[in-house]
Amino acid sequence: MNDFDSLYRTFGPMVLRRCRFLLKDEEKALDAMQDVFVRIIERKSRLQSVCASLFYVTATRVCLNKMRADKVRSGPAFETIAEVVSDASSSEAEEKIDSGILLECIFSGRDEKDREIATLHYLDGFTLEETAEKMKMSVSGIRKRLSGLRKYAESRR
């Protein structure tokens, strides 16, 4: 366990293969391989001997932890964020946000179907016919639900 160079020469290629296989990225695999050796060196006082399975299991754990961490840290691409921000600055987007907030207030305590109908018709701009088609209802049923929603909203003023 004292001769790091011989451990690295003996088990390094196997660890690197395992990391490459799991991470599918050369740079991440090299980083993970270094982490494996750092972990084993840090714990050398508790280890009595080393074998291939110790390196293999450690490599697997390090790679799985890296994959979990990457998944947690990943977010939307910068282009997506920039597009949303630029869209959000338009007056149409502001009206949609305001409408959404208003609808949230109106829908507290209402049927989920009413919320979906109002969202399709008022926010997404669907016609009564298109809303009826999406909801698999009749146009008169949609009209009746929207009328009931208006009355409910007026009573809450």
Side-chain angles (χ1 to χ4, degrees):
M1 184 67 193
N2 292 333
D3 190 12
F4 177 78
D5 188 48
S6 67
L7 287 176
Y8 197 80
R9 288 179 193 276
T10 305
F11 299 111
M14 177 197 62
V15 170
L16 184 58
R17 276 193 309 273
R18 182 67 179 153
C19 294
R20 281 179 181 150
F21 175 77
L22 291 172
L23 297 173
K24 312 281 190 247
D25 182 307
E26 185 68 22
E27 189 174 317
K28 288 180 182 180
L30 289 169
D31 286 343
M33 182 177 83
Q34 289 176 358
D35 290 347
V36 168
F37 281 94
V38 167
R39 273 197 186 175
I40 289 176
I41 296 301
E42 285 175 343
R43 291 166 178 79
K44 74 178 178 181
S45 62
R46 290 183 279 178
L47 298 173
Q48 294 169 0
S49 65
V50 294
C51 59
S53 64
L54 172 67
F55 282 93
Y56 190 85
V57 168
T58 305
T60 301
R61 287 185 181 151
V62 166
C63 290
L64 292 177
N65 287 339
K66 283 190 177 297
M67 290 163 56
R68 275 189 220 105
D70 287 348
K71 191 174 183 181
V72 168
R73 284 189 214 115
S74 69
F78 176 76
E79 292 80 23
T80 306
I81 294 170
E83 186 178 316
V84 168
V85 168
S86 68
D87 286 348
S89 64
S90 71
S91 62
E92 184 180 311
E94 287 179 26
E95 286 179 27
K96 280 190 174 187
I97 292 170
D98 290 342
S99 298
I101 293 170
L102 178 63
L103 287 174
E104 281 297 318
C105 293
I106 292 171
F107 290 120
S108 58
R110 293 293 294 193
D111 183 20
E112 185 65 33
K113 206 169 200 178
D114 287 346
R115 175 188 304 239
E116 196 171 341
I117 289 169
T119 302
L120 287 171
H121 186 67
Y122 293 121
L123 283 179
D124 296 339
F126 283 79
T127 64
L128 291 173
E129 292 79 15
E130 291 169 332
T131 304
E133 186 180 317
K134 286 258 187 215
M135 296 301 297
K136 296 181 177 31
M137 294 175 63
S138 66
V139 174
S140 63
I142 297 294
R143 208 176 271 124
K144 186 175 178 181
R145 290 254 187 161
L146 291 173
S147 174
L149 279 172
R150 277 189 222 99
K151 288 177 186 169
Y152 178 75
E154 288 173 10
S155 72
R156 293 196 62 185
R157 281 188 183 182

